[in-house]
Tab-separated table of all heavy atoms in Angstrom:
chain	number	residue	atom	x	y	z
A	1	SER	N	104.391	52.493	-159.363
A	1	SER	CA	104.205	51.456	-158.356
A	1	SER	C	104.794	50.174	-158.739
A	1	SER	O	105.295	49.402	-158.002
A	1	SER	CB	102.674	51.180	-158.220
A	1	SER	OG	102.029	52.353	-157.849
A	2	ASN	N	104.791	49.927	-160.110
A	2	ASN	CA	105.344	48.738	-160.627
A	2	ASN	C	106.846	48.703	-160.400
A	2	ASN	O	107.423	47.716	-159.957
A	2	ASN	CB	105.083	48.669	-162.161
A	2	ASN	CG	105.304	47.278	-162.779
A	2	ASN	OD1	105.108	46.271	-162.179
A	2	ASN	ND2	105.890	47.256	-163.949
A	3	SER	N	107.463	49.798	-160.680
A	3	SER	CA	108.864	49.954	-160.374
A	3	SER	C	109.309	49.664	-158.907
A	3	SER	O	110.279	49.051	-158.601
A	3	SER	CB	109.475	51.236	-160.840
A	3	SER	OG	109.236	51.509	-162.192
A	4	LEU	N	108.412	50.293	-158.044
A	4	LEU	CA	108.636	50.189	-156.653
A	4	LEU	C	108.648	48.677	-156.196
A	4	LEU	O	109.503	48.203	-155.536
A	4	LEU	CB	107.679	50.926	-155.803
A	4	LEU	CG	107.795	52.462	-155.763
A	4	LEU	CD1	106.562	53.094	-155.189
A	4	LEU	CD2	109.078	52.698	-154.853
A	5	VAL	N	107.597	47.992	-156.603
A	5	VAL	CA	107.470	46.579	-156.277
A	5	VAL	C	108.602	45.687	-156.783
A	5	VAL	O	109.169	44.927	-156.074
A	5	VAL	CB	106.042	46.019	-156.676
A	5	VAL	CG1	105.974	44.484	-156.373
A	5	VAL	CG2	104.972	46.763	-155.937
A	6	ILE	N	108.870	45.921	-158.093
A	6	ILE	CA	109.964	45.075	-158.673
A	6	ILE	C	111.259	45.403	-157.976
A	6	ILE	O	111.941	44.368	-157.626
A	6	ILE	CB	110.142	45.475	-160.238
A	6	ILE	CG1	108.893	44.991	-160.964
A	6	ILE	CG2	111.422	44.810	-160.801
A	6	ILE	CD1	108.783	45.538	-162.406
A	7	ASN	N	111.708	46.588	-157.707
A	7	ASN	CA	112.898	46.898	-157.019
A	7	ASN	C	112.998	46.355	-155.677
A	7	ASN	O	114.006	45.789	-155.247
A	7	ASN	CB	113.157	48.432	-157.037
A	7	ASN	CG	113.372	49.034	-158.354
A	7	ASN	OD1	113.587	48.264	-159.319
A	7	ASN	ND2	113.162	50.301	-158.561
A	8	MET	N	111.874	46.559	-154.977
A	8	MET	CA	111.898	45.994	-153.533
A	8	MET	C	112.023	44.509	-153.499
A	8	MET	O	112.734	43.973	-152.667
A	8	MET	CB	110.580	46.398	-152.859
A	8	MET	CG	110.557	47.792	-152.402
A	8	MET	SD	111.831	48.198	-151.243
A	8	MET	CE	111.705	49.931	-151.116
A	9	LEU	N	111.263	43.804	-154.405
A	9	LEU	CA	111.310	42.337	-154.332
A	9	LEU	C	112.625	41.796	-154.827
A	9	LEU	O	113.196	40.797	-154.250
A	9	LEU	CB	110.163	41.739	-155.267
A	9	LEU	CG	108.768	41.938	-154.747
A	9	LEU	CD1	107.780	41.417	-155.866
A	9	LEU	CD2	108.504	41.165	-153.441
A	10	GLN	N	113.264	42.373	-155.793
A	10	GLN	CA	114.596	41.958	-156.234
A	10	GLN	C	115.666	42.211	-155.276
A	10	GLN	O	116.583	41.425	-155.020
A	10	GLN	CB	114.952	42.598	-157.675
A	10	GLN	CG	114.062	41.995	-158.737
A	10	GLN	CD	114.510	42.401	-160.120
A	10	GLN	OE1	115.125	43.471	-160.313
A	10	GLN	NE2	114.144	41.616	-161.114
A	11	SER	N	115.535	43.453	-154.578
A	11	SER	CA	116.659	43.650	-153.570
A	11	SER	C	116.360	42.861	-152.233
A	11	SER	O	117.136	43.066	-151.324
A	11	SER	CB	116.715	45.142	-153.279
A	11	SER	OG	115.429	45.581	-152.916
A	12	SER	N	115.282	42.098	-152.168
A	12	SER	CA	115.106	41.308	-150.980
A	12	SER	C	116.009	39.941	-151.060
A	12	SER	O	116.068	39.210	-150.072
A	12	SER	CB	113.671	40.900	-150.763
A	12	SER	OG	113.306	39.898	-151.805
A	13	TYR	N	116.506	39.751	-152.255
A	13	TYR	CA	117.396	38.489	-152.417
A	13	TYR	C	116.560	37.261	-152.220
A	13	TYR	O	117.214	36.196	-151.938
A	13	TYR	CB	118.597	38.571	-151.570
A	13	TYR	CG	119.656	39.558	-152.041
A	13	TYR	CD1	119.440	40.859	-151.654
A	13	TYR	CD2	120.738	39.182	-152.780
A	13	TYR	CE1	120.370	41.856	-152.092
A	13	TYR	CE2	121.695	40.166	-153.185
A	13	TYR	CZ	121.541	41.471	-152.792
A	13	TYR	OH	122.435	42.405	-153.222
A	14	SER	N	115.266	37.304	-152.322
A	14	SER	CA	114.505	36.074	-152.103
A	14	SER	C	113.533	35.626	-153.265
A	14	SER	O	112.965	34.692	-153.140
A	14	SER	CB	113.604	36.282	-150.844
A	14	SER	OG	112.915	37.492	-150.883
A	15	THR	N	113.659	36.438	-154.405
A	15	THR	CA	112.826	36.072	-155.506
A	15	THR	C	113.606	35.720	-156.699
A	15	THR	O	114.772	35.969	-156.848
A	15	THR	CB	111.921	37.236	-155.844
A	15	THR	OG1	112.767	38.317	-156.310
A	15	THR	CG2	111.084	37.789	-154.739
A	16	CYS	N	112.920	34.805	-157.573
A	16	CYS	CA	113.656	34.467	-158.831
A	16	CYS	C	112.810	34.809	-160.046
A	16	CYS	O	113.372	35.187	-161.043
A	16	CYS	CB	114.004	32.982	-158.768
A	16	CYS	SG	112.584	31.901	-158.475
A	17	VAL	N	111.469	34.821	-159.877
A	17	VAL	CA	110.562	35.101	-161.072
A	17	VAL	C	109.523	36.117	-160.492
A	17	VAL	O	108.876	35.798	-159.500
A	17	VAL	CB	109.951	33.897	-161.651
A	17	VAL	CG1	109.058	34.238	-162.800
A	17	VAL	CG2	111.010	32.939	-162.149
A	18	LEU	N	109.289	37.140	-161.278
A	18	LEU	CA	108.208	38.116	-160.906
A	18	LEU	C	107.192	38.206	-162.085
A	18	LEU	O	107.630	38.297	-163.279
A	18	LEU	CB	108.751	39.543	-160.625
A	18	LEU	CG	109.916	39.592	-159.608
A	18	LEU	CD1	110.366	41.092	-159.420
A	18	LEU	CD2	109.460	39.061	-158.239
A	19	VAL	N	105.976	38.145	-161.788
A	19	VAL	CA	104.936	38.366	-162.812
A	19	VAL	C	104.162	39.592	-162.507
A	19	VAL	O	103.515	39.571	-161.382
A	19	VAL	CB	104.047	37.101	-163.019
A	19	VAL	CG1	102.905	37.333	-163.891
A	19	VAL	CG2	104.794	35.908	-163.502
A	20	SER	N	104.092	40.596	-163.385
A	20	SER	CA	103.352	41.824	-163.066
A	20	SER	C	102.325	42.041	-164.128
A	20	SER	O	102.557	41.679	-165.281
A	20	SER	CB	104.344	42.945	-162.997
A	20	SER	OG	103.624	44.204	-162.959
A	21	GLU	N	101.255	42.645	-163.711
A	21	GLU	CA	100.222	42.959	-164.647
A	21	GLU	C	100.764	43.943	-165.784
A	21	GLU	O	100.341	43.914	-166.896
A	21	GLU	CB	98.969	43.699	-164.000
A	21	GLU	CG	97.930	43.880	-165.073
A	21	GLU	CD	96.839	44.971	-164.629
A	21	GLU	OE1	97.149	45.918	-163.793
A	21	GLU	OE2	95.750	44.882	-165.144
A	22	GLU	N	101.764	44.735	-165.336
A	22	GLU	CA	102.242	45.764	-166.213
A	22	GLU	C	103.387	45.399	-167.228
A	22	GLU	O	103.768	46.051	-168.047
A	22	GLU	CB	102.784	46.962	-165.384
A	22	GLU	CG	101.770	47.459	-164.364
A	22	GLU	CD	100.638	48.188	-164.895
A	22	GLU	OE1	100.617	48.466	-166.064
A	22	GLU	OE2	99.670	48.346	-164.130
A	23	ASN	N	103.794	44.098	-167.075
A	23	ASN	CA	104.933	43.708	-167.907
A	23	ASN	C	104.451	42.400	-168.754
A	23	ASN	O	103.925	41.447	-168.244
A	23	ASN	CB	106.136	43.171	-167.075
A	23	ASN	CG	106.767	44.407	-166.345
A	23	ASN	OD1	106.176	44.913	-165.348
A	23	ASN	ND2	107.837	44.883	-166.879
A	24	LYS	N	104.778	42.439	-169.976
A	24	LYS	CA	104.315	41.472	-170.996
A	24	LYS	C	104.856	40.102	-170.578
A	24	LYS	O	104.247	39.090	-170.618
A	24	LYS	CB	104.647	41.931	-172.386
A	24	LYS	CG	104.019	40.944	-173.464
A	24	LYS	CD	104.239	41.446	-174.823
A	24	LYS	CE	103.657	40.517	-175.829
A	24	LYS	NZ	103.895	40.904	-177.251
A	25	GLU	N	106.306	40.139	-170.334
A	25	GLU	CA	106.966	38.937	-170.047
A	25	GLU	C	107.193	38.831	-168.573
A	25	GLU	O	107.202	39.867	-167.794
A	25	GLU	CB	108.334	38.878	-170.686
A	25	GLU	CG	108.339	39.394	-172.156
A	25	GLU	CD	107.974	38.270	-173.225
A	25	GLU	OE1	108.074	37.145	-172.725
A	25	GLU	OE2	107.475	38.594	-174.214
A	26	ALA	N	107.436	37.634	-168.044
A	26	ALA	CA	107.874	37.509	-166.624
A	26	ALA	C	109.219	38.096	-166.538
A	26	ALA	O	110.072	38.184	-167.406
A	26	ALA	CB	107.934	36.006	-166.255
A	27	ILE	N	109.562	38.686	-165.279
A	27	ILE	CA	110.770	39.297	-165.031
A	27	ILE	C	111.663	38.297	-164.223
A	27	ILE	O	111.348	37.768	-163.208
A	27	ILE	CB	110.593	40.572	-164.107
A	27	ILE	CG1	109.667	41.540	-164.842
A	27	ILE	CG2	111.897	41.248	-163.758
A	27	ILE	CD1	108.807	42.377	-163.918
A	28	ILE	N	112.828	37.998	-164.784
A	28	ILE	CA	113.704	37.080	-164.127
A	28	ILE	C	114.743	37.872	-163.256
A	28	ILE	O	115.380	38.763	-163.786
A	28	ILE	CB	114.498	36.180	-165.138
A	28	ILE	CG1	113.510	35.659	-166.142
A	28	ILE	CG2	115.279	35.099	-164.430
A	28	ILE	CD1	112.488	34.657	-165.562
A	29	THR	N	114.811	37.585	-162.055
A	29	THR	CA	115.700	38.295	-161.128
A	29	THR	C	117.177	37.924	-161.488
A	29	THR	O	117.491	36.757	-161.768
A	29	THR	CB	115.442	37.896	-159.649
A	29	THR	OG1	114.101	38.149	-159.277
A	29	THR	CG2	116.299	38.599	-158.655
A	30	PRO	N	118.015	38.998	-161.490
A	30	PRO	CA	119.447	38.751	-161.837
A	30	PRO	C	120.025	37.660	-160.863
A	30	PRO	O	119.710	37.653	-159.696
A	30	PRO	CB	120.169	40.131	-161.655
A	30	PRO	CG	119.010	41.110	-161.702
A	30	PRO	CD	117.740	40.367	-161.251
A	31	LYS	N	120.952	36.874	-161.483
A	31	LYS	CA	121.544	35.707	-160.783
A	31	LYS	C	122.004	36.010	-159.272
A	31	LYS	O	121.771	35.357	-158.424
A	31	LYS	CB	122.778	35.078	-161.561
A	31	LYS	CG	122.482	33.779	-162.176
A	31	LYS	CD	123.728	33.062	-162.602
A	31	LYS	CE	123.427	31.615	-163.041
A	31	LYS	NZ	123.293	31.522	-164.458
A	32	GLU	N	122.767	37.160	-159.188
A	32	GLU	CA	123.337	37.530	-157.982
A	32	GLU	C	122.344	37.954	-156.808
A	32	GLU	O	122.718	38.007	-155.669
A	32	GLU	CB	124.416	38.585	-158.107
A	32	GLU	CG	123.846	40.062	-158.457
A	32	GLU	CD	123.553	40.124	-159.942
A	32	GLU	OE1	123.673	39.171	-160.757
A	32	GLU	OE2	123.261	41.264	-160.375
A	33	LYS	N	121.041	38.164	-157.283
A	33	LYS	CA	120.051	38.506	-156.207
A	33	LYS	C	119.022	37.420	-156.106
A	33	LYS	O	117.923	37.696	-155.496
A	33	LYS	CB	119.364	39.865	-156.665
A	33	LYS	CG	120.284	41.020	-156.634
A	33	LYS	CD	119.535	42.196	-156.986
A	33	LYS	CE	120.364	43.517	-156.863
A	33	LYS	NZ	119.681	44.739	-157.075
A	34	ARG	N	119.174	36.299	-156.713
A	34	ARG	CA	118.106	35.305	-156.709
A	34	ARG	C	117.865	34.576	-155.405
A	34	ARG	O	118.736	34.283	-154.612
A	34	ARG	CB	118.448	34.240	-157.794
A	34	ARG	CG	117.800	34.478	-159.065
A	34	ARG	CD	118.038	33.504	-160.077
A	34	ARG	NE	118.216	34.143	-161.331
A	34	ARG	CZ	118.707	33.635	-162.462
A	34	ARG	NH1	119.215	32.440	-162.402
A	34	ARG	NH2	118.737	34.248	-163.646
A	35	GLY	N	116.515	34.222	-155.191
A	35	GLY	CA	116.092	33.485	-154.033
A	35	GLY	C	115.103	32.405	-154.661
A	35	GLY	O	115.137	32.103	-155.889
A	36	LYS	N	114.300	31.813	-153.722
A	36	LYS	CA	113.544	30.667	-154.198
A	36	LYS	C	112.023	30.912	-154.412
A	36	LYS	O	111.248	29.981	-154.635
A	36	LYS	CB	113.695	29.566	-153.130
A	36	LYS	CG	113.196	29.886	-151.786
A	36	LYS	CD	113.489	28.775	-150.719
A	36	LYS	CE	113.099	29.297	-149.297
A	36	LYS	NZ	113.527	28.288	-148.361
A	37	TYR	N	111.662	32.189	-154.408
A	37	TYR	CA	110.214	32.493	-154.446
A	37	TYR	C	109.780	33.119	-155.777
A	37	TYR	O	110.530	33.933	-156.465
A	37	TYR	CB	109.778	33.425	-153.353
A	37	TYR	CG	109.849	32.664	-152.016
A	37	TYR	CD1	110.917	32.994	-151.077
A	37	TYR	CD2	108.890	31.707	-151.630
A	37	TYR	CE1	111.031	32.261	-149.906
A	37	TYR	CE2	108.993	31.122	-150.413
A	37	TYR	CZ	110.075	31.236	-149.557
A	37	TYR	OH	110.190	30.694	-148.376
A	38	VAL	N	108.539	32.855	-156.205
A	38	VAL	CA	107.936	33.378	-157.438
A	38	VAL	C	106.843	34.352	-156.903
A	38	VAL	O	106.010	33.850	-156.042
A	38	VAL	CB	107.321	32.272	-158.253
A	38	VAL	CG1	106.688	32.857	-159.411
A	38	VAL	CG2	108.369	31.321	-158.650
A	39	VAL	N	106.792	35.592	-157.398
A	39	VAL	CA	105.763	36.530	-156.946
A	39	VAL	C	104.910	37.056	-158.087
A	39	VAL	O	105.511	37.503	-159.101
A	39	VAL	CB	106.357	37.704	-156.141
A	39	VAL	CG1	105.261	38.601	-155.552
A	39	VAL	CG2	107.298	37.237	-155.042
A	40	CYS	N	103.713	36.906	-157.964
A	40	CYS	CA	102.765	37.457	-159.057
A	40	CYS	C	102.004	38.617	-158.350
A	40	CYS	O	101.454	38.402	-157.313
A	40	CYS	CB	101.793	36.375	-159.475
A	40	CYS	SG	102.532	34.853	-160.040
A	41	PHE	N	101.984	39.779	-159.074
A	41	PHE	CA	101.292	40.928	-158.487
A	41	PHE	C	100.684	41.827	-159.493
A	41	PHE	O	101.112	41.915	-160.593
A	41	PHE	CB	102.394	41.701	-157.578
A	41	PHE	CG	103.565	42.204	-158.330
A	41	PHE	CD1	103.596	43.386	-158.881
A	41	PHE	CD2	104.636	41.408	-158.493
A	41	PHE	CE1	104.713	43.877	-159.640
A	41	PHE	CE2	105.771	41.797	-159.231
A	41	PHE	CZ	105.808	43.103	-159.826
A	42	ASP	N	99.742	42.591	-158.941
A	42	ASP	CA	99.147	43.700	-159.708
A	42	ASP	C	99.457	44.956	-158.819
A	42	ASP	O	98.974	45.110	-157.728
A	42	ASP	CB	97.657	43.571	-159.766
A	42	ASP	CG	96.974	44.686	-160.551
A	42	ASP	OD1	97.681	45.711	-160.811
A	42	ASP	OD2	95.872	44.496	-160.966
A	43	PRO	N	100.434	45.749	-159.296
A	43	PRO	CA	101.016	46.748	-158.464
A	43	PRO	C	100.007	47.912	-158.013
A	43	PRO	O	100.037	48.408	-156.947
A	43	PRO	CB	102.135	47.413	-159.268
A	43	PRO	CG	101.792	46.979	-160.640
A	43	PRO	CD	101.072	45.711	-160.688
A	44	LEU	N	99.032	48.141	-158.969
A	44	LEU	CA	98.034	49.233	-158.556
A	44	LEU	C	96.765	48.733	-159.354
A	44	LEU	O	96.505	49.096	-160.468
A	44	LEU	CB	98.522	50.566	-159.031
A	44	LEU	CG	97.878	51.690	-158.189
A	44	LEU	CD1	98.212	51.535	-156.703
A	44	LEU	CD2	98.289	52.992	-158.717
A	45	ASP	N	95.807	48.033	-158.562
A	45	ASP	CA	94.619	47.608	-159.113
A	45	ASP	C	93.553	48.721	-159.005
A	45	ASP	O	93.541	49.474	-158.037
A	45	ASP	CB	94.177	46.377	-158.370
A	45	ASP	CG	92.925	45.798	-158.948
A	45	ASP	OD1	92.997	45.227	-160.039
A	45	ASP	OD2	91.833	45.950	-158.324
A	46	GLY	N	92.704	48.839	-160.046
A	46	GLY	CA	91.628	49.821	-159.942
A	46	GLY	C	92.125	51.191	-160.462
A	46	GLY	O	91.549	52.282	-160.024
A	47	SER	N	93.194	51.207	-161.192
A	47	SER	CA	93.836	52.502	-161.488
A	47	SER	C	92.958	53.448	-162.345
A	47	SER	O	93.216	54.645	-162.363
A	47	SER	CB	95.179	52.290	-162.196
A	47	SER	OG	95.116	51.387	-163.112
């Protein structure tokens, strides 16, 4: 689920920083895919 959310958000070309429950560090979107939004998410809560 974490991979799905990260891949979808980065390929939307609208995000720059992603914060996931599953990743210790924030994920910075590669320069060529960057947009202006920051998304914080828990990909699968209650697992």
Side-chain angles (χ1 to χ4, degrees):
S1 304
N2 194 38
S3 302
L4 282 168
V5 176
I6 293 166
N7 293 343
M8 285 298 174
L9 289 175
Q10 291 191 333
S11 58
S12 72
Y13 289 80
S14 52
T15 64
C16 53
V17 179
L18 307 179
V19 172
S20 167
E21 186 199 26
E22 308 293 347
N23 295 76
K24 188 175 182 181
E25 314 280 338
I27 301 150
I28 309 302
T29 302
K31 249 197 173 98
E32 69 278 6
K33 290 185 174 179
R34 262 179 216 165
K36 61 183 175 187
Y37 294 103
V38 177
V39 187
C40 304
F41 59 91
D42 184 345
L44 207 60
D45 185 74
S47 47

